[in-house]
Each structure stands twice: as C-alpha cells, then as structure tokens.
Amino acid sequence: HYPLRRQRQMCIRDSYKRVDIDRDRYSYRKIPKKIDTIVIGSGIGGLSCGAYLSKVGKKVLVLEQHYIAGGCMHSFEEKGVEHETGIHYIGNIEKRKKVLDLISDTPIEWCKMGKDTDGVYDEIYIEDKKYLFRAGEENFISDLVEIFPKEEENIRKYIECVRKVSQKNMFFNLKVIRDEWLIYLIKLYLKHFDTEYYDYVNMTAYDGISIFTQNEELKAVLGGQFGDYGPTPKKANFFIHASIVNHYLDGGYFPKGGTGVIAKKIIPTIEKNGGRVLVGKKVSQLILEGGKVVGVEMENGDKIRAKNVVSDAGLENTFKYLLPPEYLENESINEYVKLSEKVGPSTGFVYCFVNLEGNPKDLGLRDSNLWIYPDRDYDKLLAEFEKDILNNPMPLFIACTCAKAVSYTHLTLPTKRIV
C-alpha cells in the first residue's frame, strides 16, 4: 500500500493524463519551454493559426478552456453515440482541401453528400412543399425550373449574378496585406472605380433576389439557406447570401469519421515543432508590459510568457474580458469595444441531439440537410416563434451526421432550432 500522500499524487497525475490528442488537459508542467506564440482558443481559426506558424518553425501553445479542442469542429459522445456540434457541411471542397492539407498530418477524407439521392445536399421545406438542391449548377437550375417553368430565364440570370457577386471578395483579402498605404489605395479604388461590391453589400439578400423575380414562393426558396449566414434575407446583405449559395452550388461535403477528425489531424502539426494544445483551463487575462502583450494569466494564477499572443476568443471576449480593466479606458481600445457593441450578437440556436436505435438505411435517413419553415415569410415566422417558442410553429434545421460520414457505426440526429 502506498502512503496516502503518494496515492493522492498518483490520482492528480492520472487526472492530467492525455485521454486523446484533442483532450490534453492543462498542467503547468506540460507547457513547452521558450514558446514563440500563445494562441487563445482552439477553434478552426486558432488551430489553423498555430499549425501554420508551426510549419514555419515557430513553437506554439494553444490554450482552450473547454474540455476538448476544436471549437465547432469538436464532437462529443452521449450513451455510446457520437454527436457533432457545429459543422454540418462544407462546400467548394477542392479549394478548402488544398488549404487544410497543408496543416494536416495526413489528408482529411471527405464524403460527398447525396450519394443515394443524386447529389441532393439541401432539402427546403416551406409550408407544405419540398424543394431539392442538387450538386451542380445545371441540376440546381433545372430542378427549380421544373417547379417554376415560367422563371427559367430569371433563375439563370440569378445564378449568373450569384457567381459574379461571390467573386467580389477583395475586401476580405485585404486582411492579409500589411502595408497600410497599399490597403488605403485599394480601398479607394474599390470605392470609386469598382462600386459593385459596395452596392451588393448594402443591398439586402431579399432585394437582390427581387431584381430577378417577383414570385414570392421562388424568393423564399432561393433564400431558404439563410440559416447558414444567420439573419433572414430581408436583414442579411446580398454579398453574403451570394457567397453562401455559390459555396454550395457544386455540392456539400462532410469529413469521413465526423468533424472531430479535423482537430485531430491539425494538432499533430503543432506538436511536431515542439508545441502543445492544452484544454480544460481558462485564460483569465492578458499580461501587458509597457503597452505590449507579453503573455497570459490563467484562471488558477499561472503566468505564461511568449513573444507573441494571438486571440481566437472573438472581438468582444478579447477587448472586454481579457484585457486588464485599466486598459479599457484607452481611447483606441475603447473603439473596438464600441464596434463590438454596434455589431451585436450573432443569431442564436438551440440544439437538440437525438439518439435513435438502428442504422440510417433501415430508418430511411438521408445525408442531406433539412431546412423546415412552416411559413414562407421568414421574418413573420421568427417573430411569432420568439413570442412563444414552446407553442408557436418552429423553424428547424435537421441533419443526420451518421448518414454523412460513411465510417460511422453509431447514429446521431442533431437538430437545431433557429431562434
């Protein structure tokens, strides 16, 4: 028999053993020496940043307060059934795969949705009608034309516009340019000589669709994926809407084995260069010296220093909660706080995870997503639903991840309520 103190030491040590590569529980002794960069948050942004830095020789420590790394990529198990938490499908996979393969220890395998339904990736249910979105521009168009035969020319012009507008992404690409003068000149050019981006970003998705058709039923169908970008078509801008539609036109994909494999494939890249991804402990605040961030302080008082600190915790969390209180009075910092308050919170969702006995084939489950709207007036639908969420008609998004990822042996049916 070990002495009681020895037994306690063993229990503490065992509690910090790594369960899996994405569940490496935080302990001060696990922190690598001479860290180049600390990344706060292990979502796709934090892990990607850490992995790319590792690929160029930097030693990175990623810190995550949740018990598992991955953010919306992570999955959890309930009664032997694995559930996804955030990613339901990815589009334009050829472009995304090239980027992910750079930081994955081995390539992620992707399953194309619609394997038993001729490429259907989204099913839109509005009131008592169903509309299918199939992979491929011509399939998308021909399926809608079959329902709306008088609208063929309008639908084709709409898709042509969607393709064009979604390429107006210079504004987003400016984020990777460091030269402020170059950014200023490009913005000046965009504002005065290439005004289409500004036109479309200041136009609602509903108004953009209305350029091509006055059929309210068709407008509702074309806006039926709005849950992918949050606000209803009458509140979201047309540029974001077009980008989402274009993203999925060639089909939807899901990672083989579930979304949890994404984090598990990226973390080894960070570890290969001496870095670490630690979970289960919260960063309480940033450490600043001479107006410069030099490290982080953990919720248990541990102080970790590094040459660089990257926050993947979001704008509001970073400036309102991670900065020491005295810095919030700084005028330049306060501007970010005001910006965060002006933008406001994103659309909220309530998830319901359901375990079913059986396999997808026997139960007749498909690998496409189901968007269900009891009313085609989305703004009215959501307004009424929010008045009494327990009794009023409910908008739903339903996905069967076990049917999407062919290697699954268990069945999961995550459902989220759009609120």
Side-chain angles (χ1 to χ4, degrees):
H1 296 283
Y2 288 101
L4 183 60
R5 183 178 178 184
R6 177 64 173 167
Q7 290 180 22
R8 286 174 178 168
Q9 288 175 339
M10 289 180 65
C11 288
I12 292 172
R13 188 167 60 212
D14 289 345
S15 69
Y16 286 96
K17 284 183 178 179
R18 181 156 87 179
V19 177
D20 206 340
I21 194 167
D22 58 350
R23 301 190 189 198
D24 194 357
R25 192 168 173 78
Y26 174 87
S27 169
Y28 190 79
R29 63 183 175 80
K30 292 182 180 179
I31 298 171
K33 305 295 183 184
K34 297 181 180 180
I35 303 166
D36 291 300
T37 301
I38 294 172
V39 177
I40 305 170
S42 69
I44 186 63
L47 287 182
S48 296
C49 177
Y52 282 117
L53 288 172
S54 299
K55 292 286 282 188
V56 294
K58 304 298 181 182
K59 187 181 290 187
V60 180
L61 172 65
V62 180
L63 298 168
E64 169 61 52
Q65 65 176 341
H66 196 34
Y67 74 90
I68 184 171
C72 71
M73 298 177 293
H74 90 270
S75 57
F76 70 93
E77 189 174 301
E78 178 69 23
K79 297 181 179 179
V81 178
E82 192 172 336
H83 294 283
E84 310 303 328
T85 58
I87 297 177
H88 302 298
Y89 59 155
I90 303 291
N92 198 357
I93 200 61
E94 289 186 12
K95 181 178 180 181
R96 305 289 177 262
K97 182 173 172 55
K98 292 174 184 177
V99 176
L100 282 171
D101 284 353
L102 288 174
I103 53 175
S104 303
D105 63 329
T106 56
I108 297 167
E109 295 181 67
W110 296 89
C111 307
K112 188 168 185 177
M113 295 164 62
K115 56 182 177 292
D116 297 321
T117 54
D118 198 21
V120 174
Y121 54 91
D122 274 337
E123 301 179 28
I124 313 294
Y125 293 80
I126 303 174
E127 297 173 350
D128 60 347
K129 292 185 178 181
K130 178 173 73 172
Y131 312 87
L132 303 180
F133 288 0
R134 279 195 299 150
E137 183 177 313
E138 278 303 315
N139 289 331
F140 183 94
I141 293 171
S142 62
D143 289 349
L144 285 178
V145 169
E146 189 173 331
I147 303 170
F148 305 96
K150 295 180 181 179
E151 298 282 346
E152 179 171 1
E153 184 178 355
N154 294 333
I155 294 170
R156 289 190 179 279
K157 287 181 178 179
Y158 163 77
I159 291 298
E160 183 180 335
C161 181
V162 161
R163 291 287 200 189
K164 181 182 74 172
V165 173
S166 63
Q167 301 307 312
K168 300 286 181 181
N169 57 0
M170 177 59 76
F171 176 81
F172 291 96
N173 294 336
L174 289 177
K175 293 186 292 184
V176 302
I177 301 175
R178 299 183 64 88
D179 189 298
E180 292 184 7
W181 274 104
L182 181 57
I183 292 174
Y184 173 77
L185 291 173
I186 294 174
K187 281 185 176 180
L188 202 64
Y189 170 79
L190 290 173
K191 187 171 184 179
H192 295 287
F193 298 99
D194 187 6
T195 60
E196 284 189 314
Y197 170 77
Y198 288 92
D199 291 339
Y200 289 122
V201 84
N202 286 293
M203 176 191 300
T204 68
Y206 179 83
D207 289 341
I209 296 170
S210 297
I211 293 173
F212 303 96
T213 180
Q214 295 306 308
N215 186 311
E216 292 299 324
E217 181 186 352
L218 178 56
K219 289 181 188 180
V221 175
L222 296 177
Q225 295 169 302
F226 78 85
D228 279 330
Y229 50 79
T232 61
K234 289 183 179 178
K235 295 177 181 177
N237 72 67
F238 187 65
F239 171 77
I240 293 297
H241 169 82
S243 299
I244 292 293
V245 173
N246 181 67
H247 180 74
Y248 291 112
L249 269 180
D250 293 321
Y253 295 81
F254 197 77
K256 184 177 181 179
T259 60
V261 304
I262 299 175
K264 290 179 179 179
K265 296 272 189 177
I266 294 176
I267 293 173
T269 301
I270 296 172
E271 293 188 343
K272 282 178 182 177
N273 203 53
R276 202 86 182 244
V277 178
L278 301 178
V279 305
K281 193 68 69 178
K282 182 180 179 181
V283 173
S284 61
Q285 71 175 14
L286 301 169
I287 301 173
L288 285 90
E289 293 179 1
K292 182 180 179 181
V293 179
V294 295
V296 300
E297 182 175 339
M298 306 301 290
E299 61 181 336
N300 65 348
D302 290 347
K303 291 181 173 61
I304 311 169
R305 302 174 75 87
K307 299 173 186 176
N308 304 290
V309 177
V310 176
S311 176
D312 186 45
L315 179 67
E316 183 172 9
N317 289 332
T318 301
F319 286 93
K320 290 183 73 172
Y321 304 113
L322 291 181
L323 279 173
E326 61 269 22
Y327 283 90
L328 292 176
E329 304 301 321
N330 183 289
E331 188 175 336
S332 60
I333 289 174
N334 201 254
E335 284 299 313
Y336 286 99
V337 176
K338 290 179 181 177
L339 176 62
S340 174
E341 292 172 347
K342 182 179 179 181
V343 173
S346 59
T347 303
F349 298 91
V350 176
Y351 279 77
C352 177
F353 296 93
V354 181
N355 292 1
L356 300 177
E357 291 185 4
N359 62 68
K361 187 174 181 179
D362 292 341
L363 293 170
L365 301 177
R366 300 176 297 284
D367 59 359
S368 47
N369 303 311
L370 280 63
W371 300 90
I372 302 174
Y373 305 108
D375 194 310
R376 74 182 185 192
D377 186 336
Y378 299 142
D379 293 272
K380 174 187 172 185
L381 172 64
L382 290 177
E384 290 297 316
F385 171 64
E386 289 171 3
K387 288 179 183 177
D388 187 353
I389 62 174
L390 296 179
N391 296 301
N392 286 342
M394 181 193 307
L396 289 171
F397 173 94
I398 301 177
C400 306
T401 53
C402 60
K404 295 178 185 178
V406 294
S407 67
Y408 269 26
T409 55
H410 294 298
L411 175 65
T412 76
L413 181 61
T415 303
K416 68 182 179 186
R417 298 160 59 157
I418 305 174
V419 299

